[in-house]
Amino acid sequence: MNYSRQRELILKTVKESKSHPTAQEIYEFVKGKSPNISLGTVYRDLNFLAEAGVIRRIDVGDKQIHFDGDILEHCHFVCLDCGRIHDIERKDFCRDENKNLIAKGFVPLRKDVIIYGQCPLCNKKEKEN
Amino acid sequence: MNYSRQRELILKTVKESKSHPTAQEIYEFVKGKSPNISLGTVYRDLNFLAEAGVIRRIDVGDKQIHFDGDILEHCHFVCLDCGRIHDIERKDFCRDENKNLIAKGFVPLRKDVIIYGQCPLCNKKEKEN
DNA sequence: CGATAATCAGTAATGATTACTATTTTGTGG
DNA sequence: CCACAAAATAGTAATCATTACTGATTATCG
């Protein structure tokens, strides 16, 4: 039991892209291969795939959600000038963090680390039921 | 030269809050002290203060921007059940990361690290001009 | 005071995302 | 091969946080 034709196309597009595209950008690309695809379908399928864990959502605070086909652990560097999202390897981030980045020409200014999961209160509640 | 009365009130509200409130929540709170304040003013002043670096924006992907009066380096833990944003100390995050968190009852599932700054290309361009 | 700039309230506009509905596609069991 | 139920889709309308705009108000500083 595989994904539908459209969903497969959207998945392939995200997986093959290196640019962390938005839903709109993915829509514009897949329209070339499946001209009457709808934007709603792109959103629905992207959410489906993200929920299934085969792609990853990236929220960098530029009003649009970006998508990443690489679900292996890595960080992102967002350029405040051009807006591009660069992939950062784990080893270039933790321990002497900025050193490696700066050596590659990046100028890090600010960092956001967000962990998602279940908080102690909700975990306790769940265990009790 | 200080901030205006409204701006001061909004700053104080964010600084004294521990709950990482949204613009709407801040608006509702300050309305109690300055009843005819406008939502637009709250947004404008929050953006002004964030731009000035005295408060911090947090984008956790729940459609609303949250604000944090604590600008010292720390991470955030977002509960996928209740949506609450918990502060995480730096030392509880890096090195044996999850160990400390789990010991406190957190169940970490996913982590997003985003670094903001200038990318090598834009830095090069800037230097050339 | 008085001119000038900053700030504001209130409301309208924006734009990414989601919801909805009628139609089409798909898969399954006979 | 076919009928039929479930899933997916196109196209459009609705949502809703945020921003833009406008005319009025307030602060600043000579």
Side-chain angles (χ1 to χ4, degrees):
Chain A
M1 188 141 60
N2 252 340
Y3 293 141
S4 74
R5 217 164 0 97
Q6 316 254 33
R7 197 163 288 174
E8 201 70 60
L9 173 58
I10 289 167
L11 174 58
K12 190 167 174 285
T13 303
V14 176
K15 284 288 182 193
E16 289 177 359
S17 167
K18 303 272 176 206
S19 67
H20 312 89
T22 63
Q24 188 69 46
E25 288 166 347
I26 293 160
Y27 170 60
E28 251 129 56
F29 183 83
V30 296
K31 223 168 26 174
K33 316 223 167 181
S34 180
N36 58 350
I37 198 169
S38 124
L39 182 57
T41 298
V42 174
Y43 271 105
R44 183 168 15 76
D45 287 353
L46 285 171
N47 284 339
F48 180 95
L49 295 166
E51 220 63 43
V54 295
I55 66 174
R56 180 174 163 188
R57 253 184 282 250
I58 319 172
D59 193 335
V60 299
D62 70 346
K63 312 277 140 138
Q64 288 159 81
I65 299 166
H66 295 254
F67 293 88
D68 194 344
D70 180 4
I71 53 175
L72 297 176
E73 179 164 342
H74 65 285
C75 312
H76 292 112
F77 187 102
V78 178
C79 181
L80 297 172
D81 285 8
C82 67
R84 246 187 298 258
I85 302 172
H86 301 262
D87 287 319
I88 303 293
E89 291 175 55
R90 187 107 187 64
K91 70 173 165 57
D92 278 346
F93 160 66
C94 232
R95 283 304 103 176
D96 293 327
E97 325 186 340
N98 296 340
K99 217 176 99 187
N100 286 330
L101 283 180
I102 292 169
K104 295 188 178 179
F106 288 98
V107 184
L109 296 174
R110 182 160 53 83
K111 183 175 53 191
D112 279 2
V113 176
I114 304 181
I115 304 161
Y116 296 88
Q118 198 176 38
C119 73
L121 267 105
C122 288
N123 187 243
K124 193 160 166 267
K125 262 188 208 147
E126 195 183 77
K127 274 183 185 161
E128 285 168 0
N129 299 342
Chain B
M1 187 142 62
N2 252 338
Y3 294 142
S4 73
R5 216 161 4 94
Q6 317 252 35
R7 198 163 288 173
E8 201 72 59
L9 173 59
I10 289 167
L11 174 59
K12 190 166 172 286
T13 303
V14 177
K15 284 288 181 192
E16 288 176 359
S17 166
K18 302 271 176 206
S19 66
H20 313 89
T22 63
Q24 189 69 44
E25 288 165 347
I26 294 161
Y27 170 60
E28 251 129 56
F29 182 84
V30 296
K31 225 172 16 179
K33 316 223 166 183
S34 180
N36 58 350
I37 198 169
S38 124
L39 182 57
T41 298
V42 174
Y43 271 104
R44 184 166 15 78
D45 287 352
L46 285 171
N47 284 339
F48 181 95
L49 294 166
E51 219 64 44
V54 296
I55 66 174
R56 181 174 163 188
R57 253 184 281 248
I58 320 172
D59 193 335
V60 300
D62 69 347
K63 311 278 141 139
Q64 288 160 81
I65 299 166
H66 295 254
F67 293 87
D68 193 344
D70 180 2
I71 52 174
L72 298 176
E73 179 163 343
H74 65 285
C75 311
H76 292 111
F77 187 102
V78 178
C79 181
L80 296 172
D81 284 9
C82 66
R84 246 187 298 260
I85 301 172
H86 301 262
D87 287 317
I88 302 293
E89 291 176 56
R90 188 107 185 65
K91 71 173 165 57
D92 278 348
F93 161 65
C94 231
R95 280 308 103 176
D96 292 329
E97 326 187 340
N98 295 340
K99 217 176 100 189
N100 286 330
L101 282 180
I102 292 168
K104 295 190 178 180
F106 288 97
V107 184
L109 295 173
R110 182 159 53 84
K111 182 174 52 189
D112 279 1
V113 177
I114 304 181
I115 304 161
Y116 296 87
Q118 198 176 37
C119 73
L121 267 104
C122 287
N123 187 243
K124 192 161 167 266
K125 262 186 208 148
E126 195 183 77
K127 274 183 186 161
E128 286 170 359
N129 298 343

